Amino acid sequence: MDGIVFFRTERHDEVVEFYRELGATVWREQPDCTILQAGSFRFGFCDRESADTEGIVTFVFDDRTGVDDAYDDLADTADEEPRYNETYDIYQFFASDPEGRTVEFQTFE
């Protein structure tokens, strides 16, 4: 079984480009929605009059190097440098996409 998480967006093209610059590829185009894929993670953005900005879009990397590389690309929008989270035994940082959605980048230790 596969799945897709969809978000409403007011800034479709800008948001899709943000995630494409992170390395996601277009999996499928629909009349007002773009479905992206990063590994086995599929998520879509549909052009609407309001945006879904709740929740967290999380990208999981194989190791700390992947998280650090993502941070290098997003330092301007990151809340702080990557750090170890003892509670969940992960290495992570958070950033924001163009509409203010929280985006997490992590690896399990």
Side-chain angles (χ1 to χ4, degrees):
M1 180 182 318
D2 287 331
I4 303 169
V5 177
F6 284 96
F7 298 95
R8 292 182 308 232
T9 179
E10 296 175 354
R11 298 162 64 182
H12 176 272
D13 295 346
E14 186 179 355
V15 169
V16 167
E17 184 60 23
F18 172 84
Y19 289 97
R20 291 192 68 198
E21 287 177 3
L22 291 177
T25 58
V26 174
W27 183 72
R28 182 156 300 169
E29 287 285 357
Q30 296 178 310
D32 58 359
C33 297
T34 300
I35 302 170
L36 300 169
Q37 181 170 338
S40 60
F41 178 33
R42 292 184 186 146
F43 51 105
F45 294 96
C46 298
D47 194 14
R48 299 292 185 260
E49 291 185 18
S50 64
D52 293 315
T53 57
E54 298 299 317
I56 299 173
V57 178
T58 300
F59 293 96
V60 179
F61 294 88
D62 291 332
D63 54 35
R64 285 184 176 214
T65 300
V67 175
D68 289 338
D69 289 346
Y71 176 77
D72 290 343
D73 292 338
L74 295 167
D76 291 345
T77 62
D79 65 345
E80 59 185 348
E81 292 183 3
R83 63 205 170 274
Y84 176 70
N85 182 322
E86 189 174 306
T87 301
Y88 299 106
D89 195 28
I90 59 175
Y91 180 70
Q92 71 183 142
F93 79 93
F94 294 93
S96 297
D97 79 5
E99 283 186 310
R101 275 178 210 85
T102 300
V103 186
E104 178 185 24
F105 302 84
Q106 73 171 43
T107 187
F108 292 95
E109 295 282 283

